[in-house]
Amino acid sequence: MVMDMGRDAVQETVELTYQPTAKDFAQVLRERRRFSRAGRRFNWVIGVMFCLAAVEAVVWLAGGKPDMFLMVWSGLTAVMFLFLPRLQARTVQRVAARNGVFRAVVTDAGVTVTTDAGSSTVYWSGQPRYRESAQLFTLYSDDKNATCFTLLPKRGLSGPADADRLRAILDRHLTRV
């Protein structure tokens, strides 16, 4: 009887090379707002602000005397909240740009991201959730606000087959959200 002790097992690897953009980070932050507790709270606040502005606008259009401060303040606050992910994304992208080109290697052990400034490894237990969009695979931490993330842009892959291989690795080790 011959037993395979895993010595001949080939570990599947997917490599990406990319430069993160502000658009990538904005998409990650928008996606995070859809499933994290803080994101749902954030979306609720935006809705309340728009409703307050709308109620005051209806009062004004009906000939009543609205509270102009409340109408303007709630409208501006809601618009500011809508643009906040873009502003945050630009800030994060400026910091990431200093690191140069990103090279990510995804294996059954986790993800190792290397830049000109250094490298880091994220094991699957550190970011056990992921989300896929048309442009990105994003890994998220399991805390209620998904504060940590790793983005893997599909444009960094060498071909469409790599996207399928990457998806297979992520599905084996992570929970899709």
Side-chain angles (χ1 to χ4, degrees), residues 24-78:
D24 294 336
F25 289 115
Q27 183 176 354
V28 168
L29 294 170
R30 275 193 304 273
E31 291 289 328
R32 185 176 70 172
R33 279 190 0 201
R34 291 193 175 117
F35 70 88
S36 70
R37 180 183 288 178
R40 288 190 301 271
R41 196 175 318 127
F42 187 82
N43 290 338
W44 184 81
V45 168
I46 290 173
V48 168
M49 291 296 148
F50 270 127
C51 287
L52 285 173
V55 166
E56 291 298 320
V58 167
V59 168
W60 179 56
L61 291 172
K65 182 161 174 52
D67 183 348
M68 290 302 281
F69 174 76
L70 180 62
M71 183 170 68
V72 171
W73 181 82
S74 56
L76 287 175
T77 302

